[in-house]
Every structure is written in C-alpha cells, then in structure tokens.
Amino acid sequence: MLKLIILTCSFLILSSCSLPKKNYSNIATNSGAFSRQENALWDSFIVPYVKNTNFNNIIELYDFCTYMLIPMNAAFLYQKHEGMTLFKDHVNTFLTPSIKNNYISLSKSINKIQYLFLLSEYCKLAQIYNNNTNDSQFLIPELITFIESELSQWWNDPAWQWDTSPFPNLKSRIDWKLTASPELHNFYKKWILDETFYVFGIAGNLKFITRYSSQTLDQGLLNDILETAQRVFQEGIQHEPNGGWVLQPGIPKDHPEFWYAGYQSNMPADLPEKKLVDDISWDTSHFMRIPVVLECLRISSQENELFYQELQQGLGYQF
C-alpha cells in the first residue's frame, strides 16, 4: 500500500509541476516550483522511502527505480536542493564497498539493470545541473566509472537465450534476433527484451556526459552500443498510417504471457484454448520503459537527435 501511495505521489508531483519538455536549459531557472502541498507529499513519502532503502534486496532496488525516477528528475529540474542532496546521499550510500560489492556479486537480471539505469540517470541529471549552474557538488565520478564497468559486462559477457546456449555477447544476440527467421511457434525467441533497452539507455546517458565532462570513458564501447540501438529502432519497428509506430509486431505473440491476448472479455476461469493475436506488439508494462530510453538516446549525440525526436513524436500519435 505504501508503494502505491509513493507512486501516486510521484505522478502528482510530476503532473502539477509541469516539467519543461526536453528543455534541459531550464534546469537552472525553475527553483521554487514545488507548492506547499507538493513539499508536504515529498516530506511525508519520498524522503522516508529514500532514506530507508534496503540496498541488500535487489527487488527493492528494482522498485526504487520504478518509484523514484520521476521524483529524482523533478528534484533536479526544479532545483529542490534538499531533494538533490537526498539522492546524492542515496548514491553515496550505495557506493560504500560492502553494498556495492554485494550488488556486483549478483547475477544479471532485469532488477539489476533497472537500478543501474537509475544510477545513470542520476549522473546525467547531475551533469546537466553542472552545465547550467557551474555547480559540481552533485557530480560523482566514481559512480560513472562503476556504471561504465557494469555496462561493459552487460555488453560483452555471454547473453542468455531461451532453450539454447548463450550467445557470445549481447550484440550477437541482438544481431540474431533482428535477422533470424522465426521458427514455427517460436516467434517470441526473437523478442528483444527490456533489459537490452536499459543497456541502450545507460550508454546514451554516459555518451551525453562525455560531451561535457573531462572524465575519460570507453568511446568504442559506447559507440558500439549506440549504433546497435539505432539499428534496432530502424529495423525492429513498424510505422503506422497515423504517424505512430509499434515495436516488433507479431514477435511476442506465442510467448506464454500472450497466449490468451485474443480474448476481449469474459475469459473462462479455467485455462481456455489459446487465442493468439498475430500482430500483437509489446504490452504496456514492458513498453513503459521505452519513452525514457528514447530520451537518453536522443540526447546522446547531436547527429542522431532528429532520428530519436521523430520516434518520440510518433509515440505521441500512437498513444
């Protein structure tokens, strides 16, 4: 129940503050945007949630990204200094050796990469704030180095795949998913999963940081990931007549989670006959991650900004 309240408060703060859309130059000019009611919500729910994070529970770190991504953006975009400090303290706590090493020891999972994405968002927001205020107090170079190291492992380590041996690395798995002919009743094996898009988003955030920071990062790694990301959004989507687009239509149709998607209502309580939808695309619970990833990719380089901006506009038509 508490998590539901926190999530509701996050959206209330977001909607009432009217965040400046994609205009990061506004980050230094929006101080005082929180109303008395919003500050009360913040103090009652956001502060205790952040301060009581259980860093040893990877599920809770996954939830932390779900609930705190919006408040963290709001804190930086509106110069809520106590809020920015709240998240800085959270990050510094994570970087204590015992907590960081426990995270490193965990197997790769969507829980792990989602929290790593939140850490990359913190670094991006801190860099934007520094760009506009010349105030570097929220920059944490150690965190950027840590994220790059973890990202390299996600990209270069063997990548699991359903019912077969792992691929040599994540890029080779993506190549296969984009080019392989799907086997009968196994279309879903070509599904590019959401953890992959978090890898894209993290690379986009780090690339953005390198545009303004003197910190040295592996440009070969970042460029390789971002080039692959662009290929996915070129080859893996289907444009719609209304200007929208869908991601990998038809690919997840025979995954067990989609077996009964063809039932509009009144599905029998016992397991009915499968009713597949041939052109079904991602469900909203998975796709909810894509808009923020597109923004990370949009700001990663000036050369590709228009490409991703048009995809963002397409989502506006789609939804």
Side-chain angles (χ1 to χ4, degrees):
M1 183 61 182
L2 176 60
K3 291 179 178 179
L4 178 59
I5 293 173
I6 291 171
L7 186 60
T8 303
C9 290
S10 298
F11 281 103
L12 285 173
I13 289 171
L14 174 68
S15 59
S16 58
C17 284
S18 300
L19 295 180
K21 193 171 184 179
K22 299 179 190 159
N23 187 357
Y24 288 117
S25 63
N26 287 343
I27 199 168
T29 60
N30 288 289
S31 57
F34 277 50
S35 69
R36 181 182 302 177
Q37 180 186 20
E38 291 155 4
N39 281 316
L41 288 170
W42 185 280
D43 293 340
S44 297
F45 298 104
I46 305 301
V47 172
Y49 185 79
V50 175
K51 287 187 173 182
N52 291 296
T53 304
N54 182 356
F55 288 94
N56 293 318
N57 187 324
I58 193 62
I59 301 297
E60 290 200 18
L61 292 184
Y62 172 92
D63 288 342
F64 189 91
C65 179
T66 301
Y67 302 130
M68 291 297 106
L69 190 60
I70 289 173
M72 186 172 70
N73 271 268
F76 275 91
L77 287 169
Y78 288 101
Q79 288 191 322
K80 185 176 177 64
H81 282 269
E82 63 271 30
M84 296 155 69
T85 302
L86 178 71
F87 287 102
K88 178 184 177 182
D89 291 344
H90 170 90
V91 167
N92 280 325
T93 300
F94 170 79
L95 288 173
T96 56
S98 60
I99 293 175
K100 181 179 69 173
N101 291 337
N102 179 68
Y103 174 92
I104 292 173
S105 69
L106 299 173
S107 300
K108 291 184 177 67
S109 66
I110 185 62
N111 302 320
K112 192 174 182 182
I113 192 70
Q114 179 160 301
Y115 182 70
L116 191 70
F117 175 76
L118 176 125
L119 295 178
S120 77
E121 280 284 292
Y122 172 89
C123 294
K124 176 185 71 178
L125 292 168
Q127 184 63 56
I128 294 168
Y129 181 76
N130 174 252
N131 293 351
N132 289 282
T133 65
N134 202 32
D135 183 350
S136 63
Q137 65 173 302
F138 297 103
L139 299 178
I140 306 178
E142 178 189 355
L143 179 61
I144 296 174
T145 301
F146 169 78
I147 294 170
E148 181 191 34
S149 175
E150 289 290 302
L151 180 66
S152 178
Q153 293 182 49
W154 274 93
W155 190 244
N156 293 311
D157 286 356
W160 73 273
Q161 171 67 2
W162 285 291
D163 304 325
T164 188
S165 300
F167 283 87
N169 51 52
L170 186 54
K171 183 178 182 179
S172 61
R173 189 178 76 181
I174 295 170
D175 288 340
W176 181 86
K177 287 175 180 282
L178 287 174
T179 60
S181 299
E183 303 170 26
L184 187 63
H185 305 307
N186 284 297
F187 280 80
Y188 72 87
K189 291 184 178 181
K190 288 168 57 70
W191 196 359
I192 301 175
L193 302 179
D194 34 11
E195 61 193 30
T196 302
F197 288 93
Y198 274 139
V199 168
F200 295 161
I202 293 168
N205 283 341
L206 293 186
K207 186 68 174 181
F208 171 83
I209 291 168
T210 63
R211 293 169 59 186
Y212 304 98
S213 171
S214 60
Q215 188 166 351
T216 302
L217 296 177
D218 186 343
Q219 295 300 309
L221 170 69
L222 299 182
N223 290 339
D224 195 24
I225 296 173
L226 294 174
E227 288 169 6
T228 304
Q230 186 168 8
R231 182 185 170 204
V232 167
F233 282 105
Q234 288 172 332
E235 300 178 18
I237 69 172
Q238 175 179 294
H239 292 278
E240 299 290 287
N242 66 348
W245 54 271
V246 291
L247 183 61
Q248 292 193 286
I251 294 301
K253 68 179 181 180
D254 55 359
H255 187 277
E257 293 180 5
F258 293 81
W259 281 352
Y260 310 106
Y263 289 92
Q264 299 298 313
S265 61
N266 300 324
M267 190 175 77
D270 57 334
L271 289 179
E273 181 182 354
K274 296 176 186 177
K275 197 170 184 180
L276 307 184
V277 178
D278 285 337
D279 61 349
I280 197 167
S281 183
W282 284 39
D283 58 274
T284 54
S285 63
H286 285 91
F287 195 82
M288 64 179 289
R289 301 173 170 98
I290 299 301
V292 68
V293 169
L294 286 176
E295 179 62 8
C296 299
L297 295 172
R298 184 191 71 83
I299 66 171
S300 65
S301 71
Q302 293 178 323
E303 292 79 11
N304 296 324
E305 184 174 7
L306 181 60
F307 173 76
Y308 288 110
Q309 187 173 330
E310 289 176 348
L311 289 177
Q312 291 175 316
Q313 293 171 345
L315 286 186
Y317 293 118
Q318 189 70 15
F319 292 99

